[in-house]
Amino acid sequence: MARELENEKTDNASLLDRRSYLKMAGAAVAATGAAGVSGLANAAEYETITVSAGEHKAIEVGDGQTYENKLIDVSAEGAGVAFTTSGSGWTIRNIGIKGEHSGESFIMMPGVESSDGEGLIENVYMGDGIKPKQSGGGVWVNANLPHQGVITVRRTHIAKTVNNGLYASGPGSQGATGITNVEDSYFHSNNISNIRTNAKGDRTPYVKNCVVKVDEKTPPCGENCSSPGAVNNRGVWSWYGTTKVINSDIQGGLVSTHGGEVETKNTRTGEQANLKPPKGVPMSAEEAAKGGK
């Protein structure tokens, strides 16, 4: 338990440093944002962005903006990408991350600044994983804003990350009540937890029509981990309040801490779980980038 509590207390400060670093890469952010932010895109076409060896590309999606139909290739040694958001009403859609991410940061670090605001992450592929024993994960909901609104993660594939697949409990540690809902998504062998929720406040986050599969492909933890090499891939981990898990199939267990609890409806666990990915979840970076099958 020490490893996970340590992460909850310390990741916020370290990620603030990373976010400051990303802002310093202003030219890269501006160039990428200008090329990728749009209102409409042809779902049959996408742009490929190739990240060079050792490069860590910063992409910021601002208030009311949509970033979509991109394949981001991080196959080169040490290559990575980090999405951040600002404001509310933003959308990240039809994004495929191709290749093993360097693990220098989380792939996405979104947040909604207004309590009545929303953000959407939809049809995204992060299934090629994070380099083992690094510090990065899939999605870290930005506790430093802090996240105050509602993020919906839909038809998203997150696999083989070191520091949580979806790490959304951080806002609660800052006293914030922003939540993250997950729909029609697939999680495969993410270390520490696959889906980690914040349920502080009067809104109840949910996990609906999702599949969590756990097997020997989980990468061991390393940096920011009190037990290097450890593997503990919880299914759904609820912090500070109630998380509802509906019509889902979950391996890795339904667990809670700090006053959290999990309520289930029509949900199968363990050997009873049906591990077929939900319909519409992208199974490759290319499929995600072009908007589906």
Side-chain angles (χ1 to χ4, degrees), residues 62-115:
D63 188 82
Q65 293 183 330
T66 294
Y67 188 90
E68 60 186 355
N69 295 97
K70 308 292 181 186
L71 188 151
I72 301 173
D73 190 337
V74 295
S75 302
E77 181 64 28
V81 62
F83 285 77
T84 57
T85 68
S86 59
S88 61
W90 50 260
T91 297
I92 299 171
R93 176 192 292 128
N94 301 343
I95 302 297
I97 310 299
K98 183 175 182 177
E100 187 178 67
H101 190 275
S102 66
E104 183 178 338
S105 72
F106 287 77
I107 297 173
M108 293 188 180
M109 295 178 279
V112 174
E113 297 184 54
S114 123
S115 60

Side-chain angles (χ1 to χ4, degrees), residues 253-277:
L254 303 172
V255 292
S256 58
T257 191
H258 280 59
E261 64 175 344
V262 178
E263 291 184 0
T264 65
K265 180 179 180 181
N266 192 30
T267 291
R268 294 148 296 280
T269 60
E271 294 182 356
Q272 302 303 312
N274 179 348
L275 301 179
K276 182 179 179 180

Side-chain angles (χ1 to χ4, degrees), residues 153 166 180-185 187 195 206-210:
V153 176
L166 170 61
T180 302
N181 296 321
V182 192
E183 304 173 356
D184 306 301
S185 293
F187 297 79
I195 303 172
Y206 62 78
V207 175
K208 181 168 63 177
N209 193 33
C210 291

